[in-house]
Amino acid sequence: SALLDDSWFSSDSFLHCFCKDFFLLVQDASVVDGDLLSWTRKLKELLENSLGWEFQQKSAVDGIYFEENDEVSL
């Protein structure tokens, strides 16, 4: 489809930047619902595995990390 060409899925696309910002917001939140945290982890993993995007932390404002047992606060 003309609406969904490869540029939508490149690592410098709006969608990638939007996801990175979302992950950063979840990471910086003082309290995070366990379900939101779980689904955020799954979305991050899906995007990394299927599109090859990387959200690893390279600076203070880039990426997202979660501790395995971190269910409520980050």
Side-chain angles (χ1 to χ4, degrees):
S1 158
L3 296 176
L4 289 176
D5 61 15
D6 289 340
S7 67
W8 278 82
F9 304 110
S10 70
S11 63
D12 61 346
S13 69
F14 169 79
L15 183 59
H16 181 267
C17 293
F18 179 81
C19 290
K20 188 163 55 170
D21 288 345
F22 171 73
F23 295 147
L24 183 61
L25 285 172
V26 172
Q27 176 185 4
D28 288 345
S30 59
V31 176
V32 178
D33 178 72
D35 288 336
L36 174 62
L37 188 58
S38 175
W39 283 106
T40 301
R41 287 177 178 149
K42 291 175 184 179
L43 175 61
K44 178 182 171 285
E45 183 176 314
L46 175 71
L47 294 173
E48 288 177 336
N49 292 336
S50 62
L51 299 178
W53 289 354
E54 293 185 22
F55 298 103
Q56 297 301 318
Q57 191 167 356
K58 295 177 183 155
S59 68
V61 295
D62 192 17
I64 186 168
Y65 285 107
F66 295 117
E67 296 296 324
E68 265 317 297
N69 297 323
D70 192 3
E71 290 294 328
V72 178
S73 75
L74 295 173

